[in-house]
Amino acid sequence: MSNKPKMNILRTVLCAVALCALMAAMLFLFHWVMDTVTQRLEEINPKKDGDMKNTLWLIEKILYVLPVCVLLIFQSVFYLTQGKEYASVRYRERAWELIVAFVFTYAILLPAIVIYSNNNPPLPDAETGEEMLSLIARSVQWFVWQILIFLPAILYHRVMATGVKDEDNQSENEGKEIEQENN
């Protein structure tokens, strides 16, 4: 009879739900921070149009990368607080949690943004009269960047789960051999 390590379903579900909530919060935060920062930078230097373009570009790129980085940091902290188990199980759980967050992002958040954008067309800017971008037009790059960061993280955890499984089996076999020698 083999004591093959199994995934802790409750821990995986709890962490996946937390990751989904974090992802939704990061999408909201992206739009709120970009709007706020843009306004603040325009207030700092109202006479020089476009003077803060480089700063805005840098902040925007950081906000594109931030969501998945926050998820990975959260996962790392979450698993530091959990008990010691086989590394392959931890990597497998983390991969599944990221897959759930990925599916949530593209199967729930993206369609919700599309539906909201279709039902609420952008209003023209009150000061300039220019038509504003719709929410989906402002979000497209955010969703593209998430794919670019999610996929390597998911693949890393899947590869590590299979690679570490061999080490776990080897150390388990060594433990059994030592136990047999002592008997």
Side-chain angles (χ1 to χ4, degrees):
M1 187 169 185
S2 172
N3 288 339
K4 198 172 191 180
K6 295 183 180 180
M7 289 178 43
N8 183 334
I9 301 299
L10 179 62
R11 177 175 59 203
T12 305
V13 168
L14 287 175
C15 190
V17 168
L19 294 181
C20 292
L22 276 172
M23 204 62 188
M26 296 302 284
L27 176 61
F28 172 77
L29 186 68
F30 169 75
H31 291 293
W32 180 75
V33 167
M34 279 308 295
D35 292 342
T36 304
V37 167
T38 303
Q39 274 183 335
R40 301 263 193 229
L41 289 177
E42 287 174 357
E43 290 171 5
I44 290 173
N45 201 357
K47 294 181 182 176
K48 294 185 178 177
D49 289 335
D51 192 38
M52 299 291 190
K53 281 185 181 180
N54 290 339
T55 305
L56 279 174
W57 179 87
L58 179 63
I59 292 169
E60 184 179 39
K61 299 309 177 211
I62 290 170
L63 289 175
Y64 287 151
V65 175
L66 192 61
V68 176
C69 293
V70 168
L71 296 186
L72 295 174
I73 291 169
F74 176 82
Q75 263 190 331
S76 296
V77 170
F78 182 79
Y79 277 94
L80 283 176
T81 62
Q82 301 300 310
K84 299 288 182 192
E85 288 182 27
Y86 289 99
S88 62
V89 173
R90 289 175 172 274
Y91 282 118
R92 201 171 342 132
E93 287 178 5
R94 290 173 79 171
W96 278 110
E97 293 159 3
L98 286 174
I99 290 168
V100 169
F102 180 81
V103 169
F104 171 80
T105 301
Y106 292 96
I108 295 176
L109 287 181
L110 181 58
I113 295 291
V114 170
I115 290 168
Y116 181 84
S117 287
N118 289 340
N119 293 338
N120 300 304
L123 300 173
D125 188 357
E127 294 176 12
T128 62
E130 294 178 13
E131 188 161 320
M132 304 288 285
L133 290 175
S134 67
L135 185 59
I136 189 63
R138 292 174 30 201
S139 302
V140 166
Q141 273 193 338
W142 187 88
F143 283 103
V144 170
W145 274 83
Q146 300 322 301
I147 290 174
L148 296 175
I149 303 166
F150 255 122
L151 292 181
I154 291 169
L155 291 174
Y156 169 78
H157 289 298
R158 294 296 299 160
V159 167
M160 289 302 291
T162 57
V164 175
K165 186 185 296 183
D166 296 335
E167 291 176 20
D168 288 343
N169 291 338
Q170 189 176 25
S171 64
E172 186 178 300
N173 290 338
E174 289 172 1
K176 287 179 183 178
E177 289 173 5
I178 292 171
E179 193 176 297
Q180 288 174 354
E181 288 174 8
N182 291 336
N183 290 332

